[in-house]
Amino acid sequence: MANIILAAPMEYQNNSMMMHDDLMDGSTYDDTGGSDDSSSYYDDSDEYTDDWGDGEYYADDYMQYKVGQAAEFEDGTWVTVSKLEKWAGDSEFQTPMSGFYVKATILLENRGTQNVNFYADEFQIYDQDNFDGEYIYKEDWQLSLKPGSKATRTVYFDVYGSGPFHIVLSDVSWSGNVK
């Protein structure tokens, strides 16, 4: 799943008036907290500045499962994060942030009627403090599953903290500890 970058039209960039709304009764509403400094929201580029904690895990945003449980998606696919393991890494990677990488084993099954595509980097991980880890390219795979087929794949992550961890795909989350 791709990250989305929001951009404001050029006429609004570095324009503090954008944050002062004219109301129907002639008064104005100031949502800047009294500040005319819009630089915390926009910079000189076309990209929106992210000051609102993207990359944090909020359990209420996801259908929640435990590691080992299967989740059914609308397209007829079933996905199971079957286990989470500590992985020390190898010489091609830097030292992991928390002293180990997380290796997630994932079972993908297509019970639907059309081919379904999966990509390793669609999966995300969050630690016990709800911060996102980083997907690492140990096995960067893409998979096209035909109806009636299934496959097991592995995804690797570098994490900041310790578990329990939350593996996320779309609006589904699997939680568990590494073994």
Side-chain angles (χ1 to χ4, degrees), residues 65-67 84 126 163-167 174-178:
Y65 296 87
K66 295 195 181 303
V67 169
L84 300 177
Y126 295 87
F165 293 101
H166 312 283
I167 304 294
W174 294 265
S175 299
N177 289 305
V178 293

Side-chain angles (χ1 to χ4, degrees), residues 144-162:
S144 182
L145 276 179
K146 295 178 181 177
S149 62
K150 57 183 165 182
T152 300
R153 294 292 186 265
T154 305
V155 182
Y156 297 84
F157 300 98
D158 196 358
V159 292
Y160 296 101
S162 58

Side-chain angles (χ1 to χ4, degrees), residues 17-28:
M17 291 305 293
M18 183 184 90
M19 292 178 229
H20 298 270
D21 296 323
D22 292 326
L23 301 177
M24 291 179 70
D25 66 0
S27 63
T28 61

Side-chain angles (χ1 to χ4, degrees), residues 9-163:
M10 287 303 290
E11 65 266 21
Y12 291 123
Q13 294 192 15
N14 288 327
N15 180 355
S16 61
M17 291 305 293
M18 183 184 90
M19 292 178 229
H20 298 270
D21 296 323
D22 292 326
L23 301 177
M24 291 179 70
D25 66 0
S27 63
T28 61
Y29 173 73
D30 177 6
D31 63 353
T32 66
S35 171
D36 283 335
D37 178 16
S38 62
S39 65
S40 65
Y41 301 101
Y42 296 96
D43 57 21
D44 291 329
S45 72
D46 290 342
E47 292 185 12
Y48 188 68
T49 303
D50 182 1
D51 287 339
W52 288 280
D54 187 30
E56 292 186 29
Y57 175 84
Y58 298 101
D60 292 345
D61 293 341
Y62 302 97
M63 298 264 310
Q64 297 178 36
Y65 296 87
K66 295 195 181 303
V67 169
Q69 293 180 318
E72 180 180 7
F73 288 80
E74 290 179 10
D75 60 2
T77 59
W78 289 69
V79 178
T80 305
V81 175
S82 56
K83 64 181 171 179
L84 300 177
E85 301 173 87
K86 287 184 180 182
W87 181 63
D90 55 35
S91 61
E92 67 183 281
F93 294 106
Q94 298 177 358
T95 303
M97 294 182 280
S98 66
F100 61 90
Y101 294 103
V102 173
K103 175 182 172 182
T105 303
I106 300 168
L107 174 63
L108 306 155
E109 185 175 1
N110 185 354
R111 297 183 187 175
T113 59
Q114 297 183 0
N115 286 357
V116 179
N117 295 314
F118 291 97
Y119 302 88
D121 62 359
E122 288 182 302
F123 292 88
Q124 298 173 297
I125 191 168
Y126 295 87
D127 66 18
Q128 72 176 8
D129 295 320
N130 300 331
F131 293 113
D132 61 334
E134 296 179 22
Y135 167 76
I136 60 172
Y137 294 92
K138 172 70 177 160
E139 295 177 13
D140 188 25
W141 49 264
Q142 71 179 45
L143 175 66
S144 182
L145 276 179
K146 295 178 181 177
S149 62
K150 57 183 165 182
T152 300
R153 294 292 186 265
T154 305
V155 182
Y156 297 84
F157 300 98
D158 196 358
V159 292
Y160 296 101
S162 58

